Amino acid sequence: MVFNDEHELLRHRVRDFAESEVAPVARQLDESSRFPWDNVRRMADMGLFGVNVPREYGGLGLDYVSYLIVLEELARVDASHSITVSAHSTLGLSPIQAFGSEDQKRRYLPLLAAGQVLGGFGLTEPGAGSDASATRTVAIREDGGYRINGSKIFITHAGVGEVFVVTAVTDRTRGPRGISSFIVTKPTAEPEEAARVGVGHAPALEPFTPGVRCGRKEDKMGWRASDTRELFLEDAWVPEASRLGPEGDGFVNFMKTLDAGRIGIGALALGIAQGAFDHALGHLRALGVGRNAGEHQAPQFAMADMATEIEAARHLVYHAAWLKEKGRPYSRPAAMAKLYSSELAMRATTRAVQLLGPDGYSADHPVERMMRDAKVCEIGEGTSEVQRLVIARSFLGPAAGS
Ligand SMILES: Cc1cc2nc3c(=O)[nH]c(=O)nc-3n(C[C@H](O)[C@H](O)[C@H](O)COP(=O)(O)OP(=O)(O)OC[C@H]3O[C@@H](n4cnc5c(N)ncnc54)[C@H](O)[C@@H]3O)c2cc1C
């Protein structure tokens, strides 16, 4: 892949940050499942929470490729930092940017793009994730607004975040066309940390939406420094002005959000694979593997396969981003980029652990964490099975070729 000078400069900046500030704390944060508040502050100062948000709304105004470079480089060192930026940007902020009214954009985007508050997206419910049309959360019209009741599970930033886009059924008779989305707010669950680092809470959002609260923190296999919790909506009342887009557009809009999100998870998974490759490379070089032609061919072949697959993933991810940037259809390429990169992240991290032997199996080595972090890429924002369905339907489904 050939990137322009601006992209390369950004890549170097983020790589420097990840190696100097993230790498030293990644293991401890993973072990204690603690949110990376200090680095959230640093990333906010670098503008990483608003990379592709227009400058007029407080973002860096860069292109989508730049945003993916940030996700890739953070994940090369620590996937939890990368998903923190990704979930905030793709899931929390981008629906407001894409479908919000001018008032909604003016109210929320500057706070989110500056990283002053963290955002999230509440779609998944027990029994409604892969089949998002099964949403049970309801929003009933009442007193010039909506009364929302329901619960969401596995919501990134449900604890530390303050601004959320959530889906709810407004007309049960219309199936997916009866789902709408709403902006709700709640105070951070970690106010002391937010006060200590100076980001994560915005008094300007007060009064917060009544009836919105988070549940307990998930104890996860990977992405352990990322905040994942339930989000409860209990008689949560929002004014009509908090509905995002027209009533009934929620399902279509979050499908569009997830299309873009898939490229983001593709970039994140690519970063994990690259990080695992780099660790394995350092280890093999230290052992002198490859110095004498003909010796140690097995690890050399493993590295050649990994490097080739990483290059293929990079092309898929950035090609999908290019299509999105040019306004071309990118649903299938995005699904392909996510599917391939996620499964590659598992293969590459497993191989890296194998190449490092017991060292790679020890929690002292980053590849042990990377292997655990890779797994969720095959699950979050659409499982690998769902990606295969999206890809197959694009040429076999009822709308194919029409
Ligand atoms: C760490 C983490 C963070 C997350 N963050 C968020 C977030 O911020 N916001 C949010 O809304 N959600 C979030 N999620 C939820 C995630 O997007 C869903 O869990 C995921 O899309 C799977 O949906 P599900 O939970 O309904 O699983 P299920 O659909 O129940 O999946 C179970 C299995 O069934 C398979 N399956 C399901 N349907 C089919 C089918 N039609 N054909 C073949 N196989 C099928 C799946 O592929 C999977 O293997 C997060 C999840 C995790 C683990």
Side-chain angles (χ1 to χ4, degrees):
M1 286 294 296
V2 178
F3 295 96
N4 67 29
D5 290 349
E6 204 181 35
H7 292 144
E8 292 296 354
L9 206 67
L10 179 71
R11 189 181 286 281
H12 281 116
R13 254 185 86 216
V14 180
R15 185 170 290 200
D16 279 353
F17 163 74
E19 287 179 349
S20 62
E21 306 289 350
V22 179
V25 295
R27 181 188 170 183
Q28 203 199 351
L29 293 170
D30 171 71
E31 205 171 39
S32 56
S33 191
R34 258 193 316 119
F35 191 65
W37 278 110
D38 293 282
N39 279 336
V40 164
R41 171 65 205 238
R42 293 185 183 104
M43 292 193 289
D45 290 344
M46 291 169 74
L48 302 191
F49 289 105
V51 174
N52 62 322
V53 176
R55 283 176 179 273
E56 59 170 313
Y57 297 111
L60 293 183
L62 302 179
D63 59 9
Y64 205 69
V65 168
S66 303
Y67 168 58
L68 297 180
I69 288 172
V70 170
L71 298 186
E72 184 192 339
E73 285 303 321
L74 291 173
R76 180 178 163 271
V77 172
D78 179 47
S80 287
H81 278 72
S82 186
I83 190 60
T84 297
V85 172
S86 167
H88 166 88
S89 308
T90 307
L91 300 181
L93 186 156
S94 84
I96 301 176
Q97 186 177 333
F99 313 116
S101 65
E102 194 51 37
D103 280 352
Q104 289 169 335
K105 290 187 201 178
R106 297 262 164 231
R107 176 159 166 75
Y108 296 108
L109 292 187
L111 291 172
L112 290 163
Q116 185 58 43
V117 289
L118 292 161
F121 184 63
L123 163 66
T124 307
E125 301 179 7
S130 297
D131 180 10
S133 63
T135 299
R136 283 204 298 256
T137 297
V138 288
I140 312 268
R141 269 189 183 274
E142 197 180 298
D143 299 334
Y146 295 85
R147 179 86 49 199
I148 310 178
N149 275 290
S151 66
K152 305 285 179 178
I153 51 170
F154 282 105
I155 305 307
T156 305
H157 296 162
V160 298
E162 297 204 328
V163 177
F164 296 86
V165 174
V166 298
T167 51
V169 176
T170 41
D171 185 349
R172 186 75 64 199
T173 63
R174 298 192 68 212
R177 272 282 167 201
I179 296 177
S180 306
S181 47
F182 301 89
I183 303 171
V184 299
T185 58
K186 59 162 263 303
T188 175
E190 300 189 4
E192 298 84 9
E193 288 293 271
R196 183 177 65 78
V197 299
V199 295
H201 175 62
L205 291 174
E206 289 171 16
F208 291 100
T209 311
V212 182
R213 67 173 176 93
C214 65
R216 70 171 180 88
K217 197 168 176 175
E218 293 292 336
D219 189 4
K220 309 190 295 289
M221 173 196 285
W223 289 7
R224 287 179 57 77
S226 160
D227 177 76
T228 318
R229 306 186 199 217
E230 287 168 288
L231 189 68
F232 296 106
L233 301 136
E234 297 160 326
D235 275 339
W237 186 85
V238 290
E240 187 153 354
S242 291
R243 195 186 62 230
L244 193 61
E247 214 176 81
D249 274 13
F251 186 80
V252 175
N253 288 349
F254 71 63
M255 283 301 168
K256 289 181 189 158
T257 301
L258 288 183
D259 268 351
R262 283 167 187 157
I263 319 179
I265 298 297
L268 184 155
L270 168 64
I272 297 177
Q274 183 67 60
F277 176 89
D278 292 346
H279 282 294
L281 184 64
H283 173 75
L284 295 179
R285 276 191 179 143
L287 292 177
V289 169
R291 269 190 218 143
N292 298 320
E295 278 181 18
H296 305 303
Q297 285 197 343
Q300 291 189 59
F301 287 1
M303 293 299 283
D305 287 348
M306 263 162 94
T308 306
E309 291 177 16
I310 288 169
E311 198 58 20
R314 189 162 284 120
H315 279 266
L316 282 173
V317 166
Y318 288 100
H319 177 64
W322 180 82
L323 291 172
K324 173 173 162 37
E325 200 70 55
K326 297 288 170 203
R328 309 246 188 111
Y330 64 93
S331 193
R332 178 169 65 194
M336 288 175 166
K338 182 186 188 277
L339 173 64
Y340 187 81
S341 304
S342 301
E343 297 193 347
L344 164 64
M346 263 328 278
R347 279 197 303 280
T349 52
T350 309
R351 262 191 186 135
V353 167
Q354 192 67 23
L355 286 167
L356 274 107
D359 287 348
Y361 193 68
S362 163
D364 283 339
H365 202 287
V367 294
E368 182 269 345
R369 170 174 43 82
M370 290 177 162
M371 188 172 157
R372 288 185 284 106
D373 283 343
K375 184 59 201 168
V376 67
C377 298
E378 297 179 321
I379 297 171
E381 293 189 41
T383 64
S384 288
E385 290 77 11
V386 167
Q387 303 314 311
R388 286 189 166 86
L389 287 177
V390 170
I391 295 163
R393 277 181 194 151
S394 72
F395 42 77
L396 286 171
S402 59

